[in-house]
Amino acid sequence: DSRSPLASSWDGVKVDARDDYTVVFTLPQALNSFLDSTTVGILPRHLLESTEPSLLREATFNQSPVGTGPFKIKTFAPATAKLIELAANPDYYLGRPKLDEFDFRFYNTPAETLRAYSQRQVTSPGRIYADSLTQAGQLDGLNEDNMTLPDAQTLFFATGDAALKDKTLRTILSSSLSRTAILDKAVAGHGVAITQPLLPGQLGYTTKYAPAPLTPAAAKQALDADGWTGTGVRTNAGARLEFKLVTLKGGELERAANEIKRQWAPLGVSVHVVAVDLDQLQQTYMRPRNFQMLLYGVNLGSDPDVYSFWHSSQAADPGVNLSAYASADADKALEAGRIKSDPLVRLGKYDAFLRAWDADAPAAVLYESGYTYGTRDTVAGITAHRLVVPADRFYGVERWTVRQRFVSTR
Protein backbone atom coordinates (compact mmCIF):
# COMPACT_ATOMS: atom_id res chain seq x y z
CA ASP A 1 0.00 0.00 0.00
CA SER A 2 2.95 2.35 0.51
CA ARG A 3 4.14 1.63 -3.08
CA SER A 4 7.49 0.37 -1.86
CA PRO A 5 9.72 -1.52 -4.34
CA LEU A 6 10.67 -3.71 -1.36
CA ALA A 7 7.18 -5.22 -1.19
CA SER A 8 8.08 -8.49 -2.93
CA SER A 9 11.05 -9.06 -0.62
CA TRP A 10 8.88 -8.71 2.50
CA ASP A 11 5.87 -10.68 1.26
CA GLY A 12 4.90 -13.33 3.82
CA VAL A 13 7.63 -12.36 6.33
CA LYS A 14 6.63 -12.75 9.98
CA VAL A 15 8.17 -10.47 12.61
CA ASP A 16 8.61 -11.17 16.31
CA ALA A 17 10.28 -9.19 19.09
CA ARG A 18 12.12 -11.87 21.06
CA ASP A 19 13.25 -9.39 23.70
CA ASP A 20 13.99 -5.67 23.99
CA TYR A 21 17.06 -5.98 21.76
CA THR A 22 16.21 -8.82 19.37
CA VAL A 23 13.92 -8.93 16.35
CA VAL A 24 13.34 -12.22 14.55
CA PHE A 25 12.26 -12.32 10.90
CA THR A 26 10.82 -15.63 9.71
CA LEU A 27 10.70 -15.95 5.93
CA PRO A 28 8.32 -18.27 4.05
CA GLN A 29 11.40 -19.58 2.23
CA ALA A 30 15.08 -18.77 1.99
CA LEU A 31 15.93 -15.44 0.33
CA ASN A 32 19.59 -14.56 -0.12
CA SER A 33 19.01 -10.87 -0.76
CA PHE A 34 16.77 -10.38 2.30
CA LEU A 35 19.60 -8.95 4.39
CA ASP A 36 19.85 -6.06 1.89
CA SER A 37 16.14 -5.39 2.41
CA THR A 38 16.66 -4.87 6.15
CA THR A 39 18.52 -1.62 5.48
CA VAL A 40 15.13 0.08 5.26
CA GLY A 41 14.57 2.45 8.18
CA ILE A 42 12.71 1.29 11.29
CA LEU A 43 9.54 3.30 11.98
CA PRO A 44 8.11 4.05 15.44
CA ARG A 45 4.67 2.47 15.85
CA HIS A 46 3.50 5.00 18.45
CA LEU A 47 3.90 7.85 15.95
CA LEU A 48 2.73 6.17 12.76
CA GLU A 49 0.30 3.34 13.51
CA SER A 50 -2.70 5.59 12.80
CA THR A 51 -1.28 6.73 9.43
CA GLU A 52 -2.61 4.97 6.35
CA PRO A 53 0.29 3.18 4.56
CA SER A 54 -0.61 4.92 1.30
CA LEU A 55 -0.03 8.29 3.05
CA LEU A 56 3.32 7.48 4.65
CA ARG A 57 5.25 9.48 2.05
CA GLU A 58 3.28 12.62 2.92
CA ALA A 59 3.28 12.15 6.71
CA THR A 60 4.61 15.00 8.86
CA PHE A 61 6.88 12.42 10.50
CA ASN A 62 9.18 12.83 7.49
CA GLN A 63 9.92 16.39 8.59
CA SER A 64 10.61 15.52 12.22
CA PRO A 65 11.78 11.90 12.27
CA VAL A 66 12.67 9.94 15.37
CA GLY A 67 15.71 7.71 14.96
CA THR A 68 19.04 6.61 16.39
CA GLY A 69 21.50 8.20 13.95
CA PRO A 70 24.59 10.31 14.65
CA PHE A 71 22.73 13.58 14.03
CA LYS A 72 19.28 14.94 14.80
CA ILE A 73 17.27 17.60 13.00
CA LYS A 74 17.56 21.13 14.30
CA THR A 75 15.97 22.99 11.36
CA PHE A 76 13.89 21.49 8.58
CA ALA A 77 13.11 24.08 5.89
CA PRO A 78 14.06 22.68 2.46
CA ALA A 79 11.12 24.37 0.74
CA THR A 80 11.26 27.83 2.32
CA ALA A 81 14.88 28.45 3.33
CA LYS A 82 16.36 25.61 1.24
CA LEU A 83 18.07 24.40 4.38
CA ILE A 84 18.22 21.44 6.73
CA GLU A 85 20.39 21.80 9.83
CA LEU A 86 21.50 18.77 11.82
CA ALA A 87 23.03 18.79 15.30
CA ALA A 88 25.26 16.11 16.77
CA ASN A 89 23.43 13.43 18.73
CA PRO A 90 25.27 13.15 22.09
CA ASP A 91 23.59 9.79 22.74
CA TYR A 92 24.65 8.16 19.47
CA TYR A 93 25.51 4.53 20.22
CA LEU A 94 28.95 4.76 18.58
CA GLY A 95 29.80 7.95 20.46
CA ARG A 96 29.18 11.62 19.84
CA PRO A 97 30.11 12.64 16.27
CA LYS A 98 33.27 14.70 15.83
CA LEU A 99 31.32 17.33 13.89
CA ASP A 100 29.01 19.59 15.92
CA GLU A 101 26.72 20.22 12.97
CA PHE A 102 26.06 18.88 9.49
CA ASP A 103 23.97 21.17 7.32
CA PHE A 104 22.37 20.67 3.91
CA ARG A 105 21.71 23.55 1.53
CA PHE A 106 19.65 23.09 -1.60
CA TYR A 107 20.21 24.59 -5.04
CA ASN A 108 18.33 24.34 -8.31
CA THR A 109 21.21 23.27 -10.56
CA PRO A 110 24.66 21.64 -10.25
CA ALA A 111 26.18 24.90 -11.51
CA GLU A 112 24.68 26.74 -8.54
CA THR A 113 26.22 24.27 -6.10
CA LEU A 114 29.66 24.80 -7.63
CA ARG A 115 29.17 28.56 -7.42
CA ALA A 116 28.21 28.23 -3.75
CA TYR A 117 31.38 26.21 -3.16
CA SER A 118 33.58 28.79 -4.91
CA GLN A 119 32.03 31.50 -2.73
CA ARG A 120 32.78 29.36 0.36
CA GLN A 121 29.10 29.05 1.26
CA VAL A 122 29.36 25.26 1.40
CA THR A 123 32.10 22.74 2.13
CA SER A 124 30.82 20.27 -0.45
CA PRO A 125 28.98 20.81 -3.75
CA GLY A 126 27.66 17.24 -3.39
CA ARG A 127 27.61 15.05 -6.48
CA ILE A 128 29.64 16.40 -9.38
CA TYR A 129 27.91 15.49 -12.62
CA ALA A 130 29.77 14.65 -15.80
CA ASP A 131 28.96 17.92 -17.54
CA SER A 132 30.34 19.87 -14.56
CA LEU A 133 33.67 18.03 -14.15
CA THR A 134 35.68 20.57 -16.17
CA GLN A 135 34.31 23.48 -14.15
CA ALA A 136 34.84 21.57 -10.89
CA GLY A 137 38.46 20.83 -11.79
CA GLN A 138 39.19 24.57 -11.87
CA LEU A 139 38.03 25.20 -8.30
CA ASP A 140 40.60 25.61 -5.54
CA GLY A 141 40.85 22.90 -2.90
CA LEU A 142 38.12 20.66 -4.30
CA ASN A 143 38.74 16.93 -3.80
CA GLU A 144 36.87 14.47 -6.01
CA ASP A 145 36.09 11.05 -4.52
CA ASN A 146 35.22 8.65 -7.32
CA MET A 147 32.66 6.14 -6.05
CA THR A 148 30.57 3.48 -7.76
CA LEU A 149 26.80 3.20 -7.81
CA PRO A 150 24.93 0.07 -9.01
CA ASP A 151 22.62 2.07 -11.27
CA ALA A 152 22.02 0.48 -14.68
CA GLN A 153 20.72 2.98 -17.22
CA THR A 154 18.35 0.84 -19.25
CA LEU A 155 16.19 1.18 -22.34
CA PHE A 156 13.06 -0.87 -21.59
CA PHE A 157 11.04 -2.25 -24.51
CA ALA A 158 7.28 -2.73 -24.14
CA THR A 159 7.25 -6.41 -25.07
CA GLY A 160 3.52 -6.30 -25.80
CA ASP A 161 3.84 -3.53 -28.41
CA ALA A 162 2.76 -4.43 -31.96
CA ALA A 163 6.30 -4.14 -33.30
CA LEU A 164 8.38 -4.71 -30.18
CA LYS A 165 6.77 -8.05 -29.37
CA ASP A 166 9.20 -9.39 -32.01
CA LYS A 167 12.27 -10.45 -30.03
CA THR A 168 14.38 -10.55 -33.18
CA LEU A 169 13.66 -6.86 -33.71
CA ARG A 170 14.46 -6.11 -30.06
CA THR A 171 17.78 -7.94 -30.41
CA ILE A 172 18.67 -6.00 -33.58
CA LEU A 173 17.79 -2.66 -32.00
CA SER A 174 19.85 -3.40 -28.89
CA SER A 175 22.83 -4.82 -30.78
CA SER A 176 22.95 -1.82 -33.13
CA LEU A 177 23.53 0.66 -30.29
CA SER A 178 27.01 1.98 -29.59
CA ARG A 179 27.03 2.02 -25.78
CA THR A 180 30.35 3.85 -25.73
CA ALA A 181 28.93 6.71 -27.81
CA ILE A 182 25.85 6.87 -25.59
CA LEU A 183 28.04 6.91 -22.47
CA ASP A 184 30.18 9.70 -23.91
CA LYS A 185 27.18 11.80 -24.89
CA ALA A 186 25.26 11.22 -21.65
CA VAL A 187 27.96 11.52 -18.98
CA ALA A 188 31.19 12.36 -20.84
CA GLY A 189 32.34 8.75 -20.49
CA HIS A 190 32.14 8.64 -16.69
CA GLY A 191 30.69 5.19 -16.21
CA VAL A 192 31.00 1.70 -17.66
CA ALA A 193 29.31 0.58 -20.88
CA ILE A 194 27.43 -2.68 -20.21
CA THR A 195 24.92 -4.94 -21.97
CA GLN A 196 23.69 -7.23 -19.18
CA PRO A 197 20.99 -6.96 -16.46
CA LEU A 198 23.63 -7.98 -13.89
CA LEU A 199 26.62 -5.78 -13.16
CA PRO A 200 30.32 -6.58 -13.49
CA GLY A 201 31.49 -7.99 -10.15
CA GLN A 202 28.11 -9.47 -9.23
CA LEU A 203 27.78 -13.22 -8.83
CA GLY A 204 26.80 -14.82 -12.13
CA TYR A 205 27.74 -11.89 -14.36
CA THR A 206 28.78 -12.97 -17.85
CA THR A 207 28.63 -11.61 -21.38
CA LYS A 208 28.94 -14.97 -23.13
CA TYR A 209 25.29 -14.98 -24.23
CA ALA A 210 25.20 -11.37 -25.40
CA PRO A 211 24.51 -11.03 -29.13
CA ALA A 212 27.41 -9.63 -31.14
CA PRO A 213 27.27 -5.87 -31.78
CA LEU A 214 26.03 -4.84 -35.21
CA THR A 215 27.43 -2.16 -37.47
CA PRO A 216 24.83 0.12 -39.08
CA ALA A 217 25.17 -1.81 -42.36
CA ALA A 218 24.77 -5.17 -40.62
CA ALA A 219 21.80 -3.87 -38.64
CA LYS A 220 20.05 -2.74 -41.83
CA GLN A 221 20.62 -6.17 -43.36
CA ALA A 222 19.24 -7.85 -40.22
CA LEU A 223 16.14 -5.64 -40.29
CA ASP A 224 15.57 -6.54 -43.94
CA ALA A 225 15.93 -10.23 -43.14
CA ASP A 226 13.37 -9.82 -40.33
CA GLY A 227 10.79 -8.48 -42.76
CA TRP A 228 11.28 -4.71 -42.54
CA THR A 229 11.67 -2.59 -45.67
CA GLY A 230 13.95 0.39 -46.11
CA THR A 231 11.11 2.69 -45.09
CA GLY A 232 10.68 0.95 -41.75
CA VAL A 233 7.43 -0.80 -42.66
CA ARG A 234 7.06 -4.47 -41.92
CA THR A 235 5.93 -6.19 -45.08
CA ASN A 236 3.86 -8.91 -43.41
CA ALA A 237 2.12 -6.90 -40.71
CA GLY A 238 2.02 -3.26 -41.73
CA ALA A 239 3.73 -2.18 -38.51
CA ARG A 240 6.23 0.66 -38.64
CA LEU A 241 9.51 1.30 -36.91
CA GLU A 242 8.23 4.45 -35.29
CA PHE A 243 8.54 4.64 -31.53
CA LYS A 244 7.88 7.05 -28.68
CA LEU A 245 10.75 6.97 -26.19
CA VAL A 246 9.89 8.39 -22.76
CA THR A 247 12.54 9.52 -20.28
CA LEU A 248 13.49 12.05 -17.61
CA LYS A 249 14.03 15.58 -18.85
CA GLY A 250 16.94 17.92 -18.42
CA GLY A 251 19.92 15.64 -17.82
CA GLU A 252 21.94 12.62 -18.83
CA LEU A 253 18.97 10.43 -19.74
CA GLU A 254 17.57 12.98 -22.17
CA ARG A 255 21.01 13.30 -23.75
CA ALA A 256 21.26 9.51 -23.99
CA ALA A 257 17.78 9.31 -25.55
CA ASN A 258 18.69 11.80 -28.24
CA GLU A 259 21.87 9.86 -28.99
CA ILE A 260 19.80 6.67 -29.40
CA LYS A 261 17.51 8.57 -31.77
CA ARG A 262 20.54 9.74 -33.77
CA GLN A 263 22.03 6.25 -34.02
CA TRP A 264 18.81 4.60 -35.16
CA ALA A 265 17.80 7.20 -37.76
CA PRO A 266 20.06 5.80 -40.54
CA LEU A 267 18.46 2.38 -40.00
CA GLY A 268 15.01 3.71 -40.81
CA VAL A 269 13.97 3.64 -37.15
CA SER A 270 12.13 6.82 -36.18
CA VAL A 271 12.20 7.85 -32.51
CA HIS A 272 10.20 10.62 -30.87
CA VAL A 273 11.77 11.53 -27.51
CA VAL A 274 9.32 12.60 -24.79
CA ALA A 275 11.18 14.03 -21.79
CA VAL A 276 9.12 14.79 -18.67
CA ASP A 277 9.67 15.46 -14.98
CA LEU A 278 10.04 12.57 -12.53
CA ASP A 279 6.53 12.62 -11.10
CA GLN A 280 4.91 12.61 -14.53
CA LEU A 281 7.30 9.92 -15.72
CA GLN A 282 6.39 7.63 -12.84
CA GLN A 283 2.66 8.31 -12.62
CA THR A 284 1.72 8.76 -16.27
CA TYR A 285 4.08 6.37 -18.00
CA MET A 286 5.87 3.91 -15.71
CA ARG A 287 3.19 2.75 -13.29
CA PRO A 288 0.49 2.13 -15.95
CA ARG A 289 3.17 0.83 -18.40
CA ASN A 290 2.06 3.51 -20.84
CA PHE A 291 5.05 3.55 -23.20
CA GLN A 292 6.68 1.82 -26.15
CA MET A 293 10.19 2.52 -24.93
CA LEU A 294 11.33 3.85 -21.57
CA LEU A 295 14.84 5.03 -20.73
CA TYR A 296 15.37 4.94 -16.98
CA GLY A 297 17.99 4.04 -14.39
CA VAL A 298 17.39 1.16 -11.98
CA ASN A 299 19.40 0.47 -8.85
CA LEU A 300 20.33 -3.22 -8.81
CA GLY A 301 21.74 -3.25 -5.29
CA SER A 302 24.66 -5.39 -4.16
CA ASP A 303 23.06 -8.82 -4.61
CA PRO A 304 22.41 -10.34 -8.06
CA ASP A 305 18.77 -11.00 -7.15
CA VAL A 306 16.99 -9.13 -9.98
CA TYR A 307 13.67 -10.93 -9.45
CA SER A 308 11.82 -7.63 -8.99
CA PHE A 309 12.96 -6.33 -12.37
CA TRP A 310 12.51 -9.39 -14.60
CA HIS A 311 10.17 -11.99 -13.06
CA SER A 312 6.80 -12.21 -14.82
CA SER A 313 4.92 -11.81 -11.51
CA GLN A 314 6.31 -8.27 -11.26
CA ALA A 315 5.03 -7.13 -14.66
CA ALA A 316 2.19 -5.00 -13.27
CA ASP A 317 2.44 -2.08 -10.83
CA PRO A 318 3.67 -2.01 -8.07
CA GLY A 319 6.12 -4.52 -9.55
CA VAL A 320 9.08 -3.03 -11.44
CA ASN A 321 9.34 -5.45 -14.36
CA LEU A 322 8.91 -2.45 -16.63
CA SER A 323 9.22 -4.40 -19.89
CA ALA A 324 6.48 -6.84 -18.79
CA TYR A 325 9.01 -9.55 -19.60
CA ALA A 326 7.61 -13.07 -19.34
CA SER A 327 9.80 -16.15 -19.73
CA ALA A 328 9.28 -19.50 -18.03
CA ASP A 329 13.02 -20.22 -18.19
CA ALA A 330 13.97 -16.83 -16.73
CA ASP A 331 11.30 -17.13 -14.02
CA LYS A 332 12.54 -20.55 -12.97
CA ALA A 333 16.15 -19.40 -12.79
CA LEU A 334 15.29 -16.24 -10.84
CA GLU A 335 13.15 -18.16 -8.35
CA ALA A 336 15.93 -20.65 -7.65
CA GLY A 337 18.74 -18.07 -7.64
CA ARG A 338 17.24 -16.09 -4.79
CA ILE A 339 16.67 -19.08 -2.45
CA LYS A 340 19.79 -21.21 -3.00
CA SER A 341 22.61 -20.51 -0.54
CA ASP A 342 25.47 -22.31 -2.33
CA PRO A 343 27.31 -19.66 -4.44
CA LEU A 344 28.12 -22.22 -7.14
CA VAL A 345 24.46 -23.21 -7.43
CA ARG A 346 23.41 -19.55 -7.55
CA LEU A 347 26.02 -18.88 -10.23
CA GLY A 348 24.47 -21.62 -12.38
CA LYS A 349 20.98 -20.22 -11.91
CA TYR A 350 21.95 -16.70 -12.90
CA ASP A 351 23.87 -18.11 -15.85
CA ALA A 352 20.61 -19.71 -16.99
CA PHE A 353 18.75 -16.44 -16.43
CA LEU A 354 21.21 -14.49 -18.57
CA ARG A 355 21.01 -17.10 -21.32
CA ALA A 356 17.23 -16.66 -21.48
CA TRP A 357 17.35 -12.87 -21.09
CA ASP A 358 19.90 -12.37 -23.86
CA ALA A 359 17.90 -14.59 -26.20
CA ASP A 360 14.74 -12.53 -25.57
CA ALA A 361 16.27 -9.02 -25.30
CA PRO A 362 13.41 -7.42 -23.34
CA ALA A 363 15.57 -4.32 -22.84
CA ALA A 364 18.87 -2.75 -23.83
CA VAL A 365 21.10 -2.18 -20.81
CA LEU A 366 23.38 0.73 -21.67
CA TYR A 367 25.78 1.73 -18.90
CA GLU A 368 26.53 1.68 -15.19
CA SER A 369 26.74 5.06 -13.50
CA GLY A 370 29.72 6.48 -11.69
CA TYR A 371 29.38 8.79 -8.69
CA THR A 372 31.84 11.62 -8.04
CA TYR A 373 31.50 13.27 -4.63
CA GLY A 374 33.22 16.62 -4.14
CA THR A 375 34.44 18.05 -0.83
CA ARG A 376 36.91 20.71 0.21
CA ASP A 377 40.38 19.34 0.99
CA THR A 378 39.91 20.25 4.67
CA VAL A 379 37.43 17.38 5.06
CA ALA A 380 38.81 14.07 6.34
CA GLY A 381 37.34 10.69 7.23
CA ILE A 382 35.47 9.80 4.02
CA THR A 383 35.83 6.04 3.52
CA ALA A 384 32.88 5.05 1.31
CA HIS A 385 33.69 3.72 -2.15
CA ARG A 386 31.12 1.17 -3.37
CA LEU A 387 27.71 2.75 -2.83
CA VAL A 388 24.38 0.99 -3.06
CA VAL A 389 22.35 4.21 -2.79
CA PRO A 390 23.74 7.77 -2.92
CA ALA A 391 23.19 8.26 0.85
CA ASP A 392 25.85 5.59 1.45
CA ARG A 393 28.48 8.27 0.84
CA PHE A 394 27.83 9.32 4.44
CA TYR A 395 29.03 5.97 5.77
CA GLY A 396 31.02 6.63 8.96
CA VAL A 397 30.00 10.31 9.00
CA GLU A 398 30.37 10.32 12.80
CA ARG A 399 34.14 10.10 12.21
CA TRP A 400 34.35 12.89 9.65
CA THR A 401 36.33 15.98 10.60
CA VAL A 402 37.02 19.42 9.17
CA ARG A 403 40.54 20.71 9.68
CA GLN A 404 40.63 23.93 11.67
CA ARG A 405 43.27 26.60 12.17
CA PHE A 406 44.39 27.22 15.75
CA VAL A 407 44.76 30.84 16.77
CA SER A 408 46.80 31.95 19.76
CA THR A 409 44.91 34.07 22.32
CA ARG A 410 48.08 35.64 23.71
Side-chain angles (χ1 to χ4, degrees):
D1 290 341
S2 66
R3 306 188 302 278
S4 169
L6 289 173
S8 64
S9 298
W10 287 86
D11 189 28
V13 176
K14 296 179 180 179
V15 185
D16 295 302
R18 179 173 294 174
D19 55 49
D20 287 348
Y21 298 97
T22 308
V23 178
V24 178
F25 301 105
T26 304
L27 282 61
Q29 62 181 359
L31 178 61
N32 288 287
S33 61
F34 181 73
L35 192 61
D36 292 334
S37 300
T38 63
T39 58
V40 66
I42 298 173
L43 302 179
R45 170 182 284 181
H46 70 286
L47 295 178
L48 289 167
E49 64 181 342
S50 61
T51 302
E52 289 293 329
S54 61
L55 301 177
L56 279 174
R57 297 174 189 270
E58 292 80 36
T60 56
F61 173 84
N62 296 308
Q63 300 178 22
S64 54
V66 173
T68 59
F71 294 92
K72 50 187 179 181
I73 290 180
K74 186 171 71 173
T75 303
F76 187 89
T80 54
K82 295 188 175 182
L83 171 70
I84 296 177
E85 294 178 317
L86 307 180
N89 177 8
D91 300 319
Y92 183 52
Y93 76 102
L94 290 177
R96 186 188 188 281
K98 294 183 177 181
L99 295 175
D100 293 328
E101 291 191 14
F102 200 111
D103 300 338
F104 292 88
R105 298 182 183 274
F106 298 89
Y107 300 88
N108 294 323
T109 66
E112 289 184 23
T113 68
L114 292 176
R115 190 178 308 116
Y117 173 86
S118 67
Q119 295 172 352
R120 306 190 75 84
Q121 296 173 1
V122 296
T123 313
S124 165
R127 184 176 186 178
I128 302 175
Y129 291 89
D131 51 3
S132 301
L133 285 170
T134 300
Q135 181 184 356
Q138 300 170 350
L139 298 175
D140 291 337
L142 182 62
N143 280 345
E144 297 177 8
D145 286 292
N146 293 312
M147 305 172 181
T148 63
L149 194 66
D151 276 358
Q153 310 306 322
T154 304
L155 179 64
F156 295 93
F157 300 132
T159 55
D161 179 77
L164 293 171
K165 64 183 179 183
D166 175 11
K167 68 179 181 181
T168 301
L169 172 61
R170 299 196 301 263
T171 300
I172 296 169
L173 292 176
S174 177
S175 300
S176 69
L177 291 173
S178 169
R179 268 80 169 167
T180 302
I182 295 171
L183 183 66
D184 288 341
K185 185 64 68 173
V187 290
H190 290 270
V192 179
I194 55 176
T195 63
Q196 301 299 290
L198 297 182
L199 299 178
Q202 286 185 325
L203 180 71
Y205 174 81
T206 180
T207 60
K208 64 183 178 182
Y209 302 117
L214 296 174
T215 64
K220 291 184 72 172
Q221 290 180 350
L223 287 172
D224 184 65
D226 192 39
W228 301 94
T229 69
T231 58
V233 179
R234 189 158 194 173
T235 55
N236 63 354
R240 291 181 176 272
L241 295 181
E242 297 177 349
F243 303 107
K244 181 186 291 185
L245 192 166
V246 185
T247 193
L248 195 61
K249 72 175 180 181
E252 65 176 272
L253 290 180
E254 187 173 3
R255 292 192 294 270
N258 285 315
E259 174 61 17
I260 292 169
K261 175 180 180 178
R262 186 196 69 79
Q263 290 187 24
W264 279 347
L267 308 182
V269 180
S270 176
V271 175
H272 173 53
V273 175
V274 178
V276 298
D277 62 36
L278 181 59
D279 185 66
Q280 185 179 359
L281 184 66
Q282 292 177 336
Q283 302 302 323
T284 304
Y285 296 101
M286 292 173 62
R287 295 189 66 190
R289 308 297 194 258
N290 179 29
F291 59 83
Q292 290 177 291
M293 296 183 181
L294 167 73
L295 181 56
Y296 194 66
V298 293
N299 187 295
L300 301 185
S302 58
D303 191 274
D305 180 9
V306 289
Y307 178 98
S308 296
F309 301 108
W310 302 113
H311 193 275
S312 62
S313 67
Q314 305 301 302
D317 184 70
V320 286
N321 176 358
L322 297 171
S323 291
Y325 177 48
S327 162
D329 290 338
D331 281 358
K332 184 178 178 180
L334 289 171
E335 290 162 8
R338 67 189 335 221
I339 65 174
K340 301 297 183 182
S341 58
D342 186 332
L344 290 178
V345 175
R346 294 192 80 198
L347 189 150
K349 298 304 178 182
Y350 288 118
D351 184 270
F353 161 69
L354 290 176
R355 182 170 62 247
W357 191 94
D358 277 313
D360 294 331
V365 183
L366 303 176
Y367 63 91
E368 180 184 11
S369 301
Y371 192 101
T372 301
Y373 183 50
T375 55
R376 198 173 298 280
D377 56 12
T378 56
V379 177
I382 297 176
T383 57
H385 177 64
R386 294 184 64 86
L387 313 181
V388 176
V389 294
D392 289 343
R393 68 189 184 275
F394 298 122
Y395 174 77
V397 69
E398 72 277 0
R399 298 187 295 273
W400 288 19
T401 60
V402 176
R403 190 170 66 246
Q404 297 180 343
R405 179 169 57 93
F406 291 93
V407 180
S408 173
T409 56
R410 292 189 225 169

